[in-house]
Amino acid sequence: MVMHNVVSVDGFIVDARDDVGPLFEWYSNGDASLGGVGHLSQVSAEYVEPVWTRIGTPVTGRRLLDITNGW
């Protein structure tokens, strides 16, 4: 079983403009595809893909899902 938990220090993921900014920008800053979720740099993809293949169900809050258009 694998569990990964991420929490923002201030309790908010977005900035004052309701933008998720740097937290999610790295999902679209490269050429390596990540299973239809985004395009990462090759280095990021090599790190993230083995971890994500072990995750059965991601859980996120409704607000983050709405702001990121469901990822």
Side-chain angles (χ1 to χ4, degrees), residues 4-8 13 23:
H4 178 73
N5 190 6
V6 177
V7 178
S8 64
I13 297 296
L23 183 63

Side-chain angles (χ1 to χ4, degrees), residues 14-63:
V14 299
D15 63 18
R17 296 180 320 228
D18 246 7
D19 184 12
V20 292
L23 183 63
F24 283 86
E25 286 172 353
W26 70 282
Y27 284 115
S28 60
N29 70 355
D31 295 327
S33 178
L34 187 62
V37 176
H39 288 84
L40 285 67
S41 69
Q42 188 62 41
V43 172
S44 292
E46 289 172 6
Y47 173 78
V48 170
E49 192 162 13
V51 174
W52 281 18
T53 58
R54 295 175 57 197
I55 297 174
T57 305
V59 178
T60 187
R62 177 58 190 249
R63 179 89 173 120

